Amino acid sequence: MSEETIFSKIIRQEIPTPLLYQDELVSAFRDIAPRVSTHILIVPNKLIATVNDVVDADELTMGRMITVARKLAKEEGIDENGYRLIINCNEDGGQEVFHIHMHLLGGQRLGPMLSI
Ligand code: 5GP
């Protein structure tokens, strides 16, 4: 059983962070330390620690993360110019918060996909 992170508290609004979107499966809110002008996190409401922990029954939730990204990108006005979606996994992937989250990044021309 994975330990809850701060994201569970944000999803339950025990920590007051404005939600840009929430339904029965996923929530979205702005990253506390935005790397670019639009930096939103889209997270499953259910605690799933990493992509390695996704099971077949989570497919609807994982798909919802993408459709919510599409909706928010349009709301942010970055859909036509483009944006990037990233999910980091574990140490080599640079994951810091162990509750799956998709970064929605845009609003400016992004650099190379990887800096290694
Ligand atoms: P990771 O490196 O795990 O893919 O990304 C974690 C992200 O969560 C980072 O971009 C970090 O700025 C963001 N983050 C960490 N703690 C908080 C928080 O308390 N509130 C919000 N809104 N974002 C957070």
Side-chain angles (χ1 to χ4, degrees), residues 6-7 10 17 29-33 35 39 41 88 94-97 101 103:
I6 195 143
F7 288 178
I10 292 173
T17 298
F29 46 88
R30 292 193 194 279
D31 196 290
I32 200 169
R35 310 308 198 278
H39 188 172
L41 302 175
N88 296 320
Q95 185 174 6
E96 291 172 1
V97 177
H101 48 282
H103 298 257

Side-chain angles (χ1 to χ4, degrees), residues 79-98:
D79 53 329
E80 291 299 328
N81 280 350
Y83 51 91
R84 189 171 291 161
L85 301 174
I86 296 176
I87 301 178
N88 296 320
C89 181
N90 276 341
E91 207 173 335
D92 279 0
Q95 185 174 6
E96 291 172 1
V97 177
F98 286 83

Side-chain angles (χ1 to χ4, degrees), residues 1-115:
M1 187 65 189
S2 301
E3 285 206 11
E4 275 196 359
T5 72
I6 195 143
F7 288 178
S8 291
K9 293 189 172 66
I10 292 173
I11 291 162
R12 294 195 297 263
Q13 288 288 277
E14 291 165 14
I15 293 178
T17 298
L19 295 176
L20 302 179
Y21 181 89
Q22 188 166 58
D23 65 19
E24 78 285 11
L25 294 178
V26 307
S27 301
F29 46 88
R30 292 193 194 279
D31 196 290
I32 200 169
R35 310 308 198 278
V36 289
S37 52
T38 294
H39 188 172
I40 295 170
L41 302 175
I42 303 162
V43 306
N45 295 338
K46 167 188 160 187
L47 171 54
I48 305 169
T50 78
V51 172
N52 291 335
D53 303 300
V54 170
V55 297
D56 291 357
D58 297 322
E59 285 178 357
L60 181 62
T61 303
M62 296 298 112
R64 185 70 60 85
M65 289 166 72
I66 299 273
T67 53
V68 169
R70 179 203 64 204
K71 174 182 151 54
L72 291 174
K74 189 168 177 56
E75 282 179 16
E76 294 284 310
I78 61 172
D79 53 329
E80 291 299 328
N81 280 350
Y83 51 91
R84 189 171 291 161
L85 301 174
I86 296 176
I87 301 178
N88 296 320
C89 181
N90 276 341
E91 207 173 335
D92 279 0
Q95 185 174 6
E96 291 172 1
V97 177
F98 286 83
H99 182 141
I100 286 183
H101 48 282
M102 177 183 284
H103 298 257
L104 165 58
L105 299 152
Q108 63 196 65
R109 183 64 64 91
L110 302 174
M113 191 167 71
L114 295 175
S115 61

